[in-house]
Amino acid sequence: MSAYKPPHIPASQITPEHIYLKRRTLLAGLAAGATFAAAPGAFAAGEELTQGEALKTVKGPIPAPADRKVTSYEDITHYNNFYEFGTGKEDPYRNSGDFQPYPWTFEIDGMVQKPQRVDIDTLLTKFPLEDRTYRMRCVEAWSMVIPWVGIPLKSILDMAEPTGSAKYVAFQTVVRPDQMPSQRGFGQPMPWPYVEGLRLDEANHPLTIIAVGLYGKTLLNQSGAPMRLVVPWKYGFKGIKSIVRMTLTDKQPPNSWNLLQSNEYGFYANVNPDVPHPRWSQASERVIGEGGGFFGGERIPTLMFNGYGDEVASLYKGMDLKANY
Ligand SMILES: Nc1nc2c(c(=O)[nH]1)N[C@H]1C(S)=C(S)[C@@H](COP(=O)(O)O)O[C@H]1N2
Ligand SMILES: [Mo]
């Protein structure tokens, strides 16, 4: 069951239509003397996807939150948590310049009928890229509204045909000490790889996506290029970045923040204003970019399940949400 099987069609033989068309446009632009040379690495070989490239997206099934302003691209890409590049909020954008997100492949393995290695180009070819504007609530009590571009995680997992015994999905971030400064040397902030997990019904929920972009463009390194998890009713640390492995399993997978501080960070991590963090209240949140820039920010009340209770509360019927924090 764990035997590696290559995908049926080598991904290198496929150019997704929306990428193909854009490449043609870019190449035509180049021929016409346009100034793409300014973009770092963009289309140097005329082949690879790169960060911040325009994607063709379709309207997603979930309306954007009506009560909130979408956070600026500047704030979304300059205020991040991505400890592989440092623990400061601006470290990920400052220190991620060496990271090469393309080409990229990831594995789907474990309790599946068809374990496989998938090329990200295959994902971009196979599925419509949906606009999904979600609230994003970090466990540190700050929040944004992010216009993700993504694919339902269920569509991706189903390619591998999970077996009846699979109950959870375990996720892993890439380990590349040569490209991720906090993965080398002394004083590393946490053990690598960063790992996360979901119950299979959470993973299959229609709100759960793998994001491949935001603001209609491929992800920048600091946001988890080229693909990261987004589970909008959970604290941000569940949204594991730069994923290289998804393993279907029958055991609850470990997750990095729980391994680090199990009394402060649980497996479920559902946004819940009534369950305080041991060191601070979760009843309200600081809105990044509103009235105070990065470090100030208007405070608003935090919503149960981050405002997605109508969609997801039934997943936790009968569960003690204080014990399962
Ligand atoms: N691999 C990895 N994934 C990660 C993190 C990290 O440090 N490493 N930080 C998490 C935390 S705590 C949050 S709040 C979100 C932040 O996502 P953003 O920077 O895109 O807002 O990413 C999550 N995913
Ligand atoms: Mo977070």
Side-chain angles (χ1 to χ4, degrees), residues 156-211:
I156 297 171
L157 296 177
D158 283 353
M159 293 192 300
E161 299 177 17
T163 67
S165 22
K167 296 287 178 282
Y168 297 90
V169 190
F171 301 88
Q172 247 182 56
T173 291
V174 73
V175 179
R176 290 187 186 170
D178 54 325
Q179 298 179 14
M180 298 176 135
S182 292
Q183 286 187 338
R184 57 181 187 250
F186 297 105
Q188 297 180 26
M190 64 203 303
W192 316 112
Y194 192 100
V195 290
E196 259 304 339
L198 292 173
R199 252 175 26 194
L200 188 55
D201 59 343
E202 298 174 323
N204 283 338
H205 191 280
L207 285 178
T208 305
I209 56 169
I210 291 295

Side-chain angles (χ1 to χ4, degrees), residues 278-301:
R279 292 182 281 131
W280 58 84
S281 163
Q282 295 291 25
S284 70
E285 62 203 49
R286 207 161 48 79
V287 180
I288 299 301
E290 291 298 305
F294 282 2
F295 302 104
E298 179 199 349
R299 279 204 98 84
I300 60 169

Side-chain angles (χ1 to χ4, degrees), residues 80-84 136 138 173 194 228 236-237 239-241:
N80 298 97
N81 277 334
F82 200 166
Y83 277 22
E84 286 84 339
M136 147 78 169
C138 175
T173 291
Y194 192 100
R228 58 90 58 84
F237 67 80
I240 181 172
K241 295 176 168 182

Side-chain angles (χ1 to χ4, degrees), residues 6-244:
H8 300 294
I9 306 163
S12 56
Q13 291 178 11
I14 307 168
T15 300
E17 187 188 28
H18 48 283
I19 295 171
Y20 174 75
L21 292 175
K22 188 170 49 51
R23 281 176 188 162
R24 289 188 35 126
T25 312
L26 279 169
L27 291 172
L30 274 176
T35 55
F36 296 106
F43 296 98
E47 307 256 64
E48 285 300 339
L49 267 171
T50 188
Q51 300 176 70
E53 238 185 84
L55 290 166
K56 193 165 129 196
T57 66
V58 301
K59 192 167 170 289
I62 322 284
D67 53 330
R68 297 278 303 269
K69 254 201 263 170
V70 177
T71 306
S72 72
Y73 189 69
E74 176 76 10
D75 285 346
I76 294 172
T77 57
H78 289 70
Y79 186 99
N80 298 97
N81 277 334
F82 200 166
Y83 277 22
E84 286 84 339
F85 298 110
T87 57
K89 294 292 183 264
E90 299 189 317
D91 286 345
Y93 103 85
R94 285 205 188 104
N95 301 337
S96 61
D98 290 340
F99 187 69
Q100 299 289 334
Y102 303 102
W104 190 267
T105 61
F106 64 98
E107 309 256 2
I108 313 178
D109 61 8
M111 294 179 159
V112 294
Q113 304 286 353
K114 298 182 174 168
Q116 54 194 278
R117 182 186 285 271
V118 184
D119 190 299
I120 189 150
D121 275 12
T122 309
L123 279 195
L124 298 178
T125 313
K126 214 174 153 95
F127 304 106
L129 306 180
E130 301 178 12
D131 289 311
R132 300 270 190 135
T133 302
Y134 286 156
R135 297 180 189 85
M136 147 78 169
R137 171 62 158 82
C138 175
V139 74
E140 299 163 329
W142 53 264
S143 73
M144 300 188 182
V145 175
I146 305 185
W148 301 110
V149 176
I151 299 162
L153 175 58
K154 180 180 194 308
S155 308
I156 297 171
L157 296 177
D158 283 353
M159 293 192 300
E161 299 177 17
T163 67
S165 22
K167 296 287 178 282
Y168 297 90
V169 190
F171 301 88
Q172 247 182 56
T173 291
V174 73
V175 179
R176 290 187 186 170
D178 54 325
Q179 298 179 14
M180 298 176 135
S182 292
Q183 286 187 338
R184 57 181 187 250
F186 297 105
Q188 297 180 26
M190 64 203 303
W192 316 112
Y194 192 100
V195 290
E196 259 304 339
L198 292 173
R199 252 175 26 194
L200 188 55
D201 59 343
E202 298 174 323
N204 283 338
H205 191 280
L207 285 178
T208 305
I209 56 169
I210 291 295
V212 295
L214 61 85
Y215 267 104
K217 299 181 240 192
T218 54
L219 294 175
L220 302 189
N221 289 342
Q222 57 266 42
S223 297
M227 51 185 285
R228 58 90 58 84
L229 181 64
V230 177
V231 194
W233 70 94
K234 293 180 180 283
Y235 291 121
F237 67 80
K238 298 299 288 184
I240 181 172
K241 295 176 168 182
S242 307
I243 296 168
V244 288

